[in-house]
Coordinates of all heavy atoms in Angstrom, one line a residue:
M15 N 55.1 48.4 88.3 CA 56.1 49.1 89.0 C 55.8 50.5 89.3 O 55.4 51.2 88.4 CB 57.4 49.0 88.2 CG 58.5 50.0 88.6 SD 60.1 49.8 87.7 CE 59.6 49.9 86.0
L16 N 55.9 50.9 90.5 CA 55.6 52.3 90.9 C 56.9 53.1 90.5 O 58.0 52.8 90.8 CB 55.5 52.4 92.4 CG 54.1 52.3 92.9 CD1 54.0 52.4 94.4 CD2 53.1 53.3 92.3
K17 N 56.6 54.3 89.9 CA 57.7 55.1 89.5 C 57.9 56.2 90.6 O 57.0 56.8 91.0 CB 57.4 55.8 88.1 CG 57.5 54.8 87.0 CD 57.4 55.5 85.7 CE 57.5 54.4 84.6 NZ 57.4 55.1 83.3
A18 N 59.2 56.3 91.0 CA 59.5 57.3 92.0 C 59.4 58.7 91.4 O 59.4 58.9 90.2 CB 60.9 57.1 92.5
A19 N 59.3 59.7 92.3 CA 59.1 61.1 91.8 C 60.3 61.6 90.9 O 60.1 62.4 90.0 CB 59.0 62.0 93.0
W20 N 61.5 61.1 91.2 CA 62.7 61.5 90.4 C 62.7 60.9 89.0 O 63.4 61.4 88.2 CB 64.0 61.1 91.2 CG 64.0 59.6 91.6 CD1 63.8 59.2 92.8 CD2 64.4 58.5 90.8 NE1 63.9 57.8 92.9 CE2 64.3 57.4 91.6 CE3 64.8 58.3 89.5 CZ2 64.7 56.1 91.2 CZ3 65.1 57.1 89.0 CH2 65.0 56.0 89.9
W21 N 61.9 59.9 88.8 CA 61.9 59.2 87.5 C 61.8 60.1 86.3 O 62.4 60.0 85.3 CB 60.8 58.1 87.5 CG 61.0 57.0 86.5 CD1 60.7 57.0 85.2 CD2 61.5 55.7 86.8 NE1 60.9 55.8 84.6 CE2 61.5 55.0 85.6 CE3 62.0 55.1 87.9 CZ2 61.9 53.7 85.5 CZ3 62.4 53.8 87.8 CH2 62.4 53.1 86.6
G22 N 60.8 61.1 86.4 CA 60.6 62.0 85.3 C 61.7 63.0 85.0 O 61.6 63.7 84.0
L23 N 62.6 63.1 85.9 CA 63.8 64.0 85.7 C 64.9 63.4 85.0 O 65.9 64.1 84.7 CB 64.2 64.5 87.1 CG 63.2 65.2 87.9 CD1 63.8 65.5 89.3 CD2 62.7 66.5 87.2
A24 N 64.8 62.1 84.6 CA 65.9 61.4 84.0 C 66.3 61.9 82.6 O 65.4 62.3 81.9 CB 65.6 59.9 83.9
A25 N 67.5 61.9 82.3 CA 68.0 62.3 81.0 C 67.5 61.4 79.9 O 67.4 61.9 78.7 CB 69.5 62.4 80.9
C26 N 67.1 60.2 80.2 CA 66.6 59.3 79.2 C 65.1 59.3 78.9 O 64.6 58.6 78.0 CB 67.0 57.9 79.6 SG 66.3 57.3 81.2
V27 N 64.4 60.2 79.6 CA 62.9 60.2 79.4 C 62.6 60.5 77.9 O 63.2 61.5 77.4 CB 62.3 61.3 80.3 CG1 60.9 61.6 79.9 CG2 62.4 60.9 81.8
G28 N 61.8 59.7 77.4 CA 61.4 59.9 76.0 C 62.3 59.3 74.9 O 62.1 59.3 73.8
M29 N 63.4 58.7 75.4 CA 64.4 58.1 74.5 C 64.0 56.6 74.2 O 63.3 56.0 75.0 CB 65.8 58.2 75.0 CG 66.3 59.6 75.1 SD 68.1 59.6 75.4 CE 68.4 61.3 75.3
D30 N 64.5 56.1 73.2 CA 64.2 54.7 72.8 C 64.8 53.8 73.9 O 66.0 53.8 74.1 CB 64.9 54.4 71.5 CG 64.6 53.0 71.0 OD1 63.9 52.2 71.7 OD2 65.1 52.7 69.9
P31 N 64.0 53.0 74.6 CA 64.4 52.1 75.6 C 65.5 51.1 75.1 O 66.3 50.6 75.9 CB 63.2 51.4 76.1 CG 62.1 52.3 75.7 CD 62.5 53.0 74.4
A32 N 65.4 50.8 73.8 CA 66.4 49.8 73.2 C 67.8 50.3 73.4 O 68.7 49.4 73.5 CB 66.1 49.6 71.7
L33 N 68.1 51.6 73.6 CA 69.4 52.1 73.9 C 69.9 51.5 75.2 O 71.1 51.3 75.4 CB 69.4 53.6 73.9 CG 69.4 54.4 72.7 CD1 69.2 55.9 73.0 CD2 70.7 54.2 71.9
F34 N 69.0 51.4 76.1 CA 69.4 51.0 77.5 C 69.3 49.5 77.7 O 69.6 49.0 78.8 CB 68.6 51.8 78.5 CG 68.8 53.3 78.3 CD1 68.0 54.0 77.5 CD2 69.9 53.9 79.0 CE1 68.3 55.3 77.3 CE2 70.1 55.2 78.8 CZ 69.3 56.0 77.9
Y35 N 68.8 48.8 76.7 CA 68.6 47.3 76.8 C 69.1 46.7 75.5 O 68.4 46.1 74.7 CB 67.2 46.9 77.0 CG 66.6 47.3 78.3 CD1 66.0 48.5 78.5 CD2 66.8 46.5 79.4 CE1 65.5 48.9 79.7 CE2 66.3 46.9 80.7 CZ 65.7 48.1 80.8 OH 65.2 48.5 82.0
P36 N 70.4 46.9 75.2 CA 71.0 46.4 73.9 C 71.0 44.9 73.9 O 71.0 44.2 75.0 CB 72.4 47.0 73.9 CG 72.8 47.1 75.3 CD 71.5 47.5 76.0
P37 N 71.0 44.3 72.7 CA 71.2 42.8 72.7 C 72.5 42.4 73.2 O 73.5 43.2 73.3 CB 71.1 42.5 71.2 CG 71.4 43.8 70.5 CD 71.0 44.9 71.4
Q38 N 72.6 41.2 73.6 CA 73.9 40.7 74.2 C 75.1 41.0 73.2 O 75.0 40.7 72.0 CB 73.8 39.2 74.5 CG 75.1 38.7 75.3 CD 74.8 37.4 75.9 OE1 73.8 36.8 75.7 NE2 75.8 36.9 76.6
G39 N 76.1 41.6 73.7 CA 77.2 42.0 72.9 C 77.1 43.3 72.2 O 78.0 43.8 71.5
G40 N 75.9 43.9 72.3 CA 75.6 45.2 71.7 C 76.3 46.3 72.4 O 76.7 46.2 73.6
S41 N 76.4 47.5 71.8 CA 77.1 48.6 72.3 C 76.2 49.3 73.4 O 75.0 49.5 73.2 CB 77.4 49.6 71.3 OG 78.0 50.8 71.8
V42 N 76.9 49.7 74.5 CA 76.2 50.5 75.5 C 76.8 51.9 75.6 O 76.4 52.7 76.5 CB 76.4 49.8 76.9 CG1 75.7 48.4 76.9 CG2 77.9 49.7 77.3
R43 N 77.6 52.2 74.7 CA 78.3 53.5 74.6 C 77.3 54.7 74.7 O 77.5 55.6 75.5 CB 79.2 53.6 73.4 CG 80.0 54.9 73.4 CD 80.9 55.0 72.2 NE 81.9 54.0 72.4 CZ 82.5 53.4 71.4 NH1 82.2 53.7 70.1 NH2 83.4 52.5 71.6
E44 N 76.3 54.7 73.8 CA 75.4 55.8 73.8 C 74.6 55.9 75.1 O 74.4 57.0 75.6 CB 74.4 55.7 72.6 CG 73.4 56.8 72.4 CD 74.1 58.2 72.2 OE1 75.3 58.2 71.8 OE2 73.4 59.2 72.3
A45 N 74.1 54.8 75.6 CA 73.4 54.8 76.9 C 74.3 55.4 78.0 O 73.8 56.3 78.8 CB 72.9 53.4 77.2
K46 N 75.5 55.0 78.1 CA 76.4 55.5 79.1 C 76.7 56.9 79.0 O 76.8 57.7 79.9 CB 77.7 54.7 79.2 CG 77.5 53.3 79.8 CD 78.8 52.6 79.9 CE 78.8 51.6 81.1 NZ 80.0 51.4 81.8
R47 N 76.8 57.4 77.7 CA 77.0 58.8 77.4 C 75.8 59.7 78.0 O 76.0 60.7 78.6 CB 77.2 59.1 76.0 CG 77.6 60.5 75.6 CD 77.5 60.8 74.2 NE 76.1 60.7 73.6 CZ 75.1 61.6 73.9 NH1 75.4 62.7 74.6 NH2 73.9 61.5 73.4
I48 N 74.6 59.2 77.7 CA 73.4 59.9 78.2 C 73.4 59.9 79.7 O 73.1 60.9 80.3 CB 72.2 59.2 77.6 CG1 72.1 59.4 76.1 CG2 70.9 59.7 78.3 CD1 71.1 58.5 75.4
C49 N 73.8 58.8 80.3 CA 73.8 58.7 81.8 C 74.8 59.7 82.5 O 74.5 60.1 83.6 CB 74.1 57.3 82.3 SG 72.8 56.1 81.9
T50 N 75.9 60.0 81.8 CA 76.9 60.8 82.4 C 76.4 62.2 82.7 O 76.8 62.8 83.7 CB 78.2 61.0 81.5 OG1 77.8 61.5 80.3 CG2 78.9 59.6 81.3
S51 N 75.4 62.7 82.0 CA 74.9 64.0 82.2 C 73.5 64.0 83.0 O 72.9 65.0 83.1 CB 74.7 64.8 80.9 OG 73.7 64.2 80.1
C52 N 73.1 62.9 83.4 CA 71.8 62.7 84.0 C 71.8 63.2 85.5 O 72.6 62.8 86.3 CB 71.4 61.2 84.0 SG 69.7 61.0 84.6
P53 N 70.8 64.1 85.8 CA 70.8 64.6 87.2 C 70.3 63.6 88.2 O 70.5 63.8 89.4 CB 69.7 65.8 87.1 CG 68.9 65.4 85.9 CD 69.8 64.6 84.9
I54 N 69.8 62.5 87.8 CA 69.3 61.5 88.8 C 70.0 60.2 88.7 O 69.6 59.1 89.1 CB 67.8 61.3 88.7 CG1 67.3 60.9 87.3 CG2 67.0 62.5 89.2 CD1 67.1 59.4 87.2
R55 N 71.2 60.2 88.1 CA 72.0 59.0 87.9 C 72.2 58.2 89.2 O 72.1 57.0 89.2 CB 73.4 59.4 87.3 CG 74.3 58.3 87.1 CD 75.6 58.7 86.5 NE 76.4 57.5 86.2 CZ 77.6 57.6 85.6 NH1 78.1 58.7 85.2 NH2 78.3 56.5 85.4
V56 N 72.5 58.9 90.3 CA 72.7 58.2 91.6 C 71.4 57.4 92.0 O 71.4 56.3 92.4 CB 73.2 59.1 92.6 CG1 73.2 58.5 94.0 CG2 74.6 59.7 92.3
N57 N 70.3 58.1 91.8 CA 69.0 57.5 92.2 C 68.7 56.3 91.3 O 68.2 55.3 91.8 CB 67.8 58.5 92.0 CG 68.0 59.7 92.8 OD1 68.8 60.6 92.4 ND2 67.2 59.9 93.9
C58 N 69.0 56.4 90.1 CA 68.8 55.3 89.1 C 69.6 54.1 89.4 O 69.2 53.0 89.4 CB 69.1 55.8 87.7 SG 68.7 54.7 86.4
L59 N 70.9 54.4 89.7 CA 71.8 53.3 90.1 C 71.3 52.6 91.4 O 71.3 51.4 91.5 CB 73.2 53.8 90.3 CG 74.2 52.7 90.8 CD1 74.3 51.5 89.9 CD2 75.6 53.3 90.9
A60 N 71.0 53.4 92.4 CA 70.5 52.9 93.6 C 69.2 52.0 93.4 O 69.1 50.9 94.0 CB 70.1 54.0 94.6
Y61 N 68.3 52.5 92.5 CA 67.1 51.7 92.2 C 67.5 50.4 91.6 O 67.0 49.3 91.9 CB 66.3 52.5 91.2 CG 65.0 51.8 90.8 CD1 63.8 51.9 91.5 CD2 65.1 50.9 89.7 CE1 62.7 51.2 91.0 CE2 63.9 50.3 89.3 CZ 62.7 50.4 89.9 OH 61.6 49.7 89.5
G62 N 68.4 50.4 90.6 CA 68.9 49.2 89.9 C 69.5 48.2 90.8 O 69.2 47.0 90.7
L63 N 70.2 48.7 91.8 CA 70.8 47.8 92.8 C 69.8 47.3 93.8 O 69.8 46.1 94.1 CB 72.0 48.5 93.5 CG 73.2 48.8 92.7 CD1 74.1 49.7 93.4 CD2 73.9 47.5 92.3
A64 N 69.0 48.1 94.3 CA 68.0 47.8 95.3 C 67.0 46.7 94.7 O 66.5 45.8 95.5 CB 67.2 49.0 95.8
Y65 N 66.6 46.9 93.5 CA 65.6 46.0 92.9 C 66.2 44.9 92.1 O 65.5 44.1 91.4 CB 64.6 46.8 92.1 CG 63.7 47.6 93.0 CD1 64.0 48.9 93.3 CD2 62.5 47.0 93.5 CE1 63.1 49.6 94.1 CE2 61.7 47.7 94.3 CZ 62.0 49.0 94.7 OH 61.2 49.8 95.5
G66 N 67.5 44.7 92.2 CA 68.2 43.6 91.5 C 68.0 43.6 90.0 O 67.9 42.5 89.4
E67 N 68.0 44.7 89.4 CA 67.9 44.8 87.9 C 69.1 44.1 87.3 O 70.2 44.5 87.5 CB 67.8 46.2 87.4 CG 66.6 47.0 87.9 CD 65.3 46.5 87.2 OE1 65.4 45.7 86.2 OE2 64.2 46.8 87.6
V68 N 68.9 43.1 86.6 CA 70.0 42.3 86.0 C 70.1 42.6 84.5 O 71.1 42.1 83.9 CB 69.8 40.8 86.2 CG1 70.0 40.5 87.7 CG2 68.5 40.2 85.7
Y69 N 69.2 43.3 83.9 CA 69.3 43.6 82.5 C 69.3 45.2 82.3 O 68.8 45.9 83.1 CB 68.1 43.1 81.7 CG 68.0 41.6 81.8 CD1 67.0 41.0 82.6 CD2 68.9 40.8 81.2 CE1 66.9 39.6 82.7 CE2 68.8 39.4 81.3 CZ 67.8 38.8 82.1 OH 67.7 37.5 82.2
G70 N 70.0 45.6 81.3 CA 70.0 47.0 80.9 C 71.0 47.8 81.6 O 71.8 47.4 82.5
I71 N 71.0 49.1 81.3 CA 71.8 50.1 81.9 C 71.0 50.9 82.9 O 70.0 51.4 82.6 CB 72.3 51.1 80.8 CG1 73.0 50.4 79.6 CG2 73.2 52.2 81.4 CD1 74.2 49.6 80.0
W72 N 71.6 50.9 84.1 CA 70.9 51.6 85.2 C 72.0 52.5 85.9 O 73.0 52.0 86.3 CB 70.4 50.6 86.3 CG 69.2 49.9 85.7 CD1 69.1 48.8 85.0 CD2 67.8 50.4 85.9 NE1 67.8 48.5 84.7 CE2 67.0 49.4 85.2 CE3 67.2 51.4 86.5 CZ2 65.6 49.5 85.1 CZ3 65.8 51.5 86.4 CH2 65.1 50.6 85.8
G73 N 71.7 53.8 85.9 CA 72.7 54.7 86.5 C 74.0 54.7 85.9 O 75.1 54.9 86.5
G74 N 74.1 54.4 84.6 CA 75.3 54.4 83.8 C 76.1 53.1 84.0 O 77.3 53.1 83.6
T75 N 75.5 52.1 84.6 CA 76.3 50.9 84.8 C 75.7 49.7 84.0 O 74.4 49.7 83.8 CB 76.3 50.4 86.3 OG1 75.0 50.2 86.7 CG2 77.0 51.5 87.1
T76 N 76.5 48.8 83.6 CA 76.0 47.6 82.9 C 75.7 46.5 83.9 O 75.9 46.6 85.1 CB 77.2 47.0 82.0 OG1 78.3 46.6 82.9 CG2 77.6 48.0 81.0
E77 N 75.1 45.4 83.4 CA 74.8 44.3 84.2 C 76.0 43.8 85.0 O 75.9 43.5 86.2 CB 74.2 43.2 83.4 CG 72.9 43.6 82.6 CD 72.9 43.1 81.2 OE1 73.6 42.1 80.9 OE2 72.1 43.7 80.4
D78 N 77.1 43.6 84.3 CA 78.3 43.1 84.9 C 78.9 44.1 86.0 O 79.3 43.6 87.0 CB 79.4 42.9 83.9 CG 79.1 41.7 83.0 OD1 78.3 40.8 83.4 OD2 79.6 41.6 81.8
E79 N 78.8 45.3 85.7 CA 79.3 46.3 86.7 C 78.4 46.3 88.0 O 79.0 46.3 89.1 CB 79.3 47.7 86.1 CG 80.3 47.9 85.0 CD 80.1 49.1 84.2 OE1 79.0 49.7 84.1 OE2 81.1 49.6 83.6
R80 N 77.1 46.1 87.8 CA 76.3 46.0 89.0 C 76.5 44.7 89.8 O 76.5 44.7 91.0 CB 74.8 46.2 88.6 CG 74.4 47.6 88.2 CD 73.0 47.9 88.1 NE 72.3 46.9 87.2 CZ 72.3 47.0 85.9 NH1 72.9 48.0 85.3 NH2 71.7 46.1 85.1
R81 N 76.7 43.7 89.0 CA 77.0 42.4 89.7 C 78.3 42.5 90.5 O 78.3 42.0 91.7 CB 77.2 41.3 88.6 CG 77.2 39.9 89.1 CD 77.3 38.8 88.0 NE 76.1 38.9 87.2 CZ 76.2 39.3 85.8 NH1 77.4 39.5 85.3 NH2 75.1 39.3 85.1
R82 N 79.3 43.1 90.0 CA 80.5 43.3 90.8 C 80.3 44.2 92.0 O 80.8 43.9 93.1 CB 81.6 43.9 89.9 CG 82.2 42.9 88.9 CD 83.5 43.4 88.3 NE 83.3 44.6 87.4 CZ 83.0 44.5 86.1 NH1 82.8 43.4 85.5 NH2 82.9 45.6 85.4
M83 N 79.5 45.2 91.9 CA 79.1 46.1 93.0 C 78.4 45.3 94.1 O 78.7 45.4 95.3 CB 78.2 47.2 92.6 CG 78.9 48.3 91.8 SD 77.6 49.5 91.3 CE 78.7 50.6 90.3
R84 N 77.5 44.4 93.7 CA 76.8 43.6 94.7 C 77.7 42.6 95.4 O 77.6 42.5 96.6 CB 75.7 42.8 94.0 CG 74.5 43.6 93.6 CD 73.3 42.7 93.1 NE 72.4 43.5 92.3 CZ 72.4 43.6 91.0 NH1 73.2 42.9 90.3 NH2 71.5 44.4 90.4
K85 N 78.6 42.0 94.7 CA 79.6 41.1 95.3 C 80.5 41.9 96.3 O 80.8 41.3 97.3 CB 80.5 40.5 94.2 CG 79.8 39.3 93.6 CD 80.8 38.6 92.7 CE 80.3 37.2 92.2 NZ 81.3 36.5 91.4
A86 N 80.9 43.1 95.9 CA 81.8 43.8 96.8 C 81.1 44.3 98.0 O 81.8 44.6 99.0 CB 82.4 45.0 96.0
A87 N 79.8 44.4 98.0 CA 79.1 45.0 99.1 C 78.9 44.0 100.2 O 79.0 43.0 100.5 CB 77.7 45.5 98.7

């Protein structure tokens, strides 16, 4: 996967990826908290939607939240 220029500006850089890919039923609270202050949150969400990311937290959204966004679009 090619990383976009904005990727390195993310608030999650250097954090444990497991925070953003919790097991089914696991808490996403900490990941979402990190995303709220992220300067590239919009880019991350756009990436997650454009590439059909079905796992993990992208731009502060869960898999279910992105699924609903895709259906609404």
Side-chain angles (χ1 to χ4, degrees):
M15 161 176 52
L16 270 178
K17 291 187 178 180
W20 51 262
W21 202 276
L23 303 173
C26 62
V27 169
M29 295 192 174
D30 183 0
L33 282 173
F34 300 90
Y35 294 92
Q38 189 165 2
S41 176
V42 297
R43 183 178 294 149
E44 181 64 12
K46 284 187 155 212
R47 185 192 66 73
I48 293 165
C49 292
T50 60
S51 65
C52 185
I54 55 97
R55 180 179 180 176
V56 172
N57 302 74
C58 183
L59 175 56
Y61 178 93
L63 290 169
Y65 288 93
E67 295 290 348
V68 293
Y69 300 107
I71 304 300
W72 289 87
T75 62
T76 64
E77 301 139 19
D78 289 338
E79 291 166 338
R80 289 191 306 281
R81 190 175 302 114
R82 287 192 295 271
M83 288 177 183
R84 284 186 201 99
K85 275 187 171 184

